[in-house]
Amino acid sequence: MANLKGYYYLFVVFILAIAMNHTAMAGEPSSRAVKGAYWPSYTCFPASAIDTSLFTHLYYAFLVPNNVSLWFDISNSTALTLWNFTSTVSGKSPPAKTLVAIGGAGADPDTFSQMASKKSWRESFIDSSIEVARKYGFDGIDLDWEFPQNSTDMENLGYLLDEWRAAVQKEANATCRSPLLLTAAVYFSVEFFLSAVVRTYPVDSINQNLDWVNAMTYDYHGSWDTTATGTLAGLFDPLSNVSTSYGLRSWIDAGLHPTKLIMGLPLYGRTWRLKDPSVNGIGAPAVGVGPGTEGVLTFSQVEAFNKANNATVVYDVDTVSTYSYSGTSWITYDDVNSTTVKIMYVKALEVRGYFFWAVNDDLDWKIPRLGEKIYMHFIKNIDN
């Protein structure tokens, strides 16, 4: 019964995707699809090992500005890594566009709050970011401010984006080069509705100034939810608005053009230790994190765990997510089934594409290869 229900979901999404693509509103801009991935610069996985045929854009993660000068202090070793990344990726066949990602989850959000609060500080940050991007051969800049903390931060973010776009265009005109791409990684929803301090992104400024935003549609549940399991990145949630479908639609409903929106896909899983091995569904009681580093396993490690422990693997059609369990160990992640439906879903929404965190977490390229195949199949069918 579960398999029949799953096929039904796939069929409905497939028909919806084709229908919506053929009835897109007249006059809306068409844009090249984005199939991106972040490359953590601290990983042991070399940039030379990336299969660039599976991606259009690759992000160097991360650079962080000096918290006093708000400029970027680039050491010799970092400079070498930056050069190696851009030269390697652009030198591959086919090449992918490269963007330098600024910030990340480990960066202090107060640094960005300070930087964005004053025009002269914004100017210093903007000028330095453009200088770094050009010096090391990047095609663009990606802001990963995780996250603006209040409405003032959001207002200042709008000012920052206005001034950043103007500076990018001015630099391009002065140097007779193509303007740098300007993107940002953002919260899964346009509004921080789960927070005690509710705030909303400046959508008008984003529409005007950014090429797109990468919505981080993952990490809905994890080690911070110690008492019960949950989905890492469920497309749906029957009990709440904590889901990818809600997040993406919230951005579109707020006025963001779908061609400015990219869906995030995790190439990792989060784990729990079950309280009772016989109670093992989504929402099952838990007593802490399971296997992996702080309850995290890469997709390759998840597959190895499942095989070594003869784990039971369940594709949950109600949430469009996958989980596995063996004994007291429980893992939530995306596999080929959930990824297939998600990519069909974003095509139905006319969303521009998807990105992965992180490029080194699927050593066999199983999920990125699937994404490329499905996305290109839709484009081919629509063009015909």
Side-chain angles (χ1 to χ4, degrees), residues 74-109:
I74 309 296
S75 67
N76 290 336
S77 61
T78 298
L80 184 61
T81 306
L82 291 165
W83 272 120
N84 180 67
F85 177 75
T86 56
S87 61
T88 298
V89 171
S90 62
K92 279 179 167 283
S93 181
K97 296 287 187 181
T98 59
L99 294 91
V100 56
I102 297 171
D108 185 354

Side-chain angles (χ1 to χ4, degrees), residues 68-145:
V68 176
S69 68
L70 303 174
W71 279 66
F72 294 90
D73 301 323
I74 309 296
S75 67
N76 290 336
S77 61
T78 298
L80 184 61
T81 306
L82 291 165
W83 272 120
N84 180 67
F85 177 75
T86 56
S87 61
T88 298
V89 171
S90 62
K92 279 179 167 283
S93 181
K97 296 287 187 181
T98 59
L99 294 91
V100 56
I102 297 171
D108 185 354
D110 289 342
T111 297
F112 292 93
S113 180
Q114 174 192 349
M115 174 272 294
S117 67
K118 188 175 179 180
K119 185 175 178 61
S120 61
W121 291 339
R122 295 194 296 267
E123 288 178 350
S124 293
F125 172 82
I126 289 168
D127 290 346
S128 185
S129 71
I130 294 173
E131 179 182 316
V132 167
R134 289 302 196 193
K135 180 176 181 179
Y136 295 102
F138 286 93
D139 299 296
I141 306 167
D142 180 60
L143 176 65
D144 286 39
W145 180 355

Side-chain angles (χ1 to χ4, degrees), residues 137-213:
F138 286 93
D139 299 296
I141 306 167
D142 180 60
L143 176 65
D144 286 39
W145 180 355
E146 299 185 28
F147 292 103
Q149 298 298 299
N150 49 54
S151 59
T152 300
D153 276 358
M154 288 297 189
E155 183 179 7
N156 290 337
L157 173 61
Y159 298 144
L160 172 67
L161 298 183
D162 291 343
E163 295 162 14
W164 211 342
R165 172 54 64 188
V168 162
Q169 190 60 54
K170 181 180 178 181
E171 187 273 343
N173 293 341
T175 60
C176 297
R177 302 163 92 173
S178 297
L180 291 165
L181 293 168
L182 195 56
T183 68
V186 295
Y187 192 56
F188 85 97
S189 168
V190 71
E191 182 181 63
F192 287 74
F193 64 92
L194 296 173
S195 173
V197 181
V198 178
R199 63 271 193 203
T200 304
Y201 279 97
V203 173
D204 287 345
S205 180
I206 290 173
N207 265 329
Q208 294 171 17
N209 299 304
L210 294 184
D211 290 285
W212 62 79
V213 293

Side-chain angles (χ1 to χ4, degrees), residues 4-340:
L4 289 176
K5 189 176 180 182
Y7 286 127
Y8 172 75
Y9 274 37
L10 284 172
F11 176 76
V12 170
V13 174
F14 177 79
I15 295 300
L16 179 61
I18 293 178
M20 291 187 68
N21 272 292
H22 279 290
T23 58
M25 288 186 292
E28 287 188 352
S30 60
S31 302
R32 181 189 177 199
V34 171
K35 293 164 283 184
Y38 284 83
W39 178 75
S41 58
Y42 47 82
T43 182
C44 295
F45 185 83
S48 59
I50 299 174
D51 184 350
T52 54
S53 70
L54 305 176
F55 309 101
T56 59
H57 298 78
L58 290 165
Y59 302 80
Y60 176 102
F62 293 101
L63 286 185
V64 179
N66 184 293
N67 61 4
V68 176
S69 68
L70 303 174
W71 279 66
F72 294 90
D73 301 323
I74 309 296
S75 67
N76 290 336
S77 61
T78 298
L80 184 61
T81 306
L82 291 165
W83 272 120
N84 180 67
F85 177 75
T86 56
S87 61
T88 298
V89 171
S90 62
K92 279 179 167 283
S93 181
K97 296 287 187 181
T98 59
L99 294 91
V100 56
I102 297 171
D108 185 354
D110 289 342
T111 297
F112 292 93
S113 180
Q114 174 192 349
M115 174 272 294
S117 67
K118 188 175 179 180
K119 185 175 178 61
S120 61
W121 291 339
R122 295 194 296 267
E123 288 178 350
S124 293
F125 172 82
I126 289 168
D127 290 346
S128 185
S129 71
I130 294 173
E131 179 182 316
V132 167
R134 289 302 196 193
K135 180 176 181 179
Y136 295 102
F138 286 93
D139 299 296
I141 306 167
D142 180 60
L143 176 65
D144 286 39
W145 180 355
E146 299 185 28
F147 292 103
Q149 298 298 299
N150 49 54
S151 59
T152 300
D153 276 358
M154 288 297 189
E155 183 179 7
N156 290 337
L157 173 61
Y159 298 144
L160 172 67
L161 298 183
D162 291 343
E163 295 162 14
W164 211 342
R165 172 54 64 188
V168 162
Q169 190 60 54
K170 181 180 178 181
E171 187 273 343
N173 293 341
T175 60
C176 297
R177 302 163 92 173
S178 297
L180 291 165
L181 293 168
L182 195 56
T183 68
V186 295
Y187 192 56
F188 85 97
S189 168
V190 71
E191 182 181 63
F192 287 74
F193 64 92
L194 296 173
S195 173
V197 181
V198 178
R199 63 271 193 203
T200 304
Y201 279 97
V203 173
D204 287 345
S205 180
I206 290 173
N207 265 329
Q208 294 171 17
N209 299 304
L210 294 184
D211 290 285
W212 62 79
V213 293
N214 292 327
M216 291 183 279
T217 46
Y218 44 75
D219 280 347
Y220 303 145
H221 301 280
S223 58
W224 51 94
D225 301 319
T226 57
T227 59
T229 65
T231 66
L232 168 67
L235 182 59
F236 304 112
D237 185 337
L239 303 177
S240 78
N241 288 332
V242 184
S243 68
T244 295
S245 60
Y246 177 83
L248 295 179
R249 285 190 175 278
S250 77
W251 279 99
I252 295 171
D253 290 345
L256 185 70
H257 196 280
T259 60
K260 299 273 187 176
L261 184 58
I262 310 294
M263 174 185 66
L265 291 168
L267 288 179
Y268 62 93
R270 289 195 176 272
T271 72
W272 281 263
R273 184 160 55 92
L274 296 171
K275 182 177 181 180
D276 180 351
S278 66
V279 181
N280 45 45
I282 295 173
V287 292
V289 299
T293 304
E294 297 182 348
V296 176
L297 293 172
T298 67
F299 178 75
S300 294
Q301 291 172 334
V302 171
E303 290 210 306
F305 175 90
N306 290 344
K307 183 177 181 180
N309 294 277
N310 194 28
T312 299
V313 177
V314 179
Y315 169 62
D316 185 72
V317 296
D318 292 329
T319 59
V320 184
S321 67
T322 303
Y323 64 90
S324 64
Y325 58 90
S326 177
T328 59
S329 296
W330 196 94
I331 310 170
T332 174
Y333 61 103
D334 272 339
D335 68 353
V336 294
N337 294 312
S338 55
T339 301
T340 296

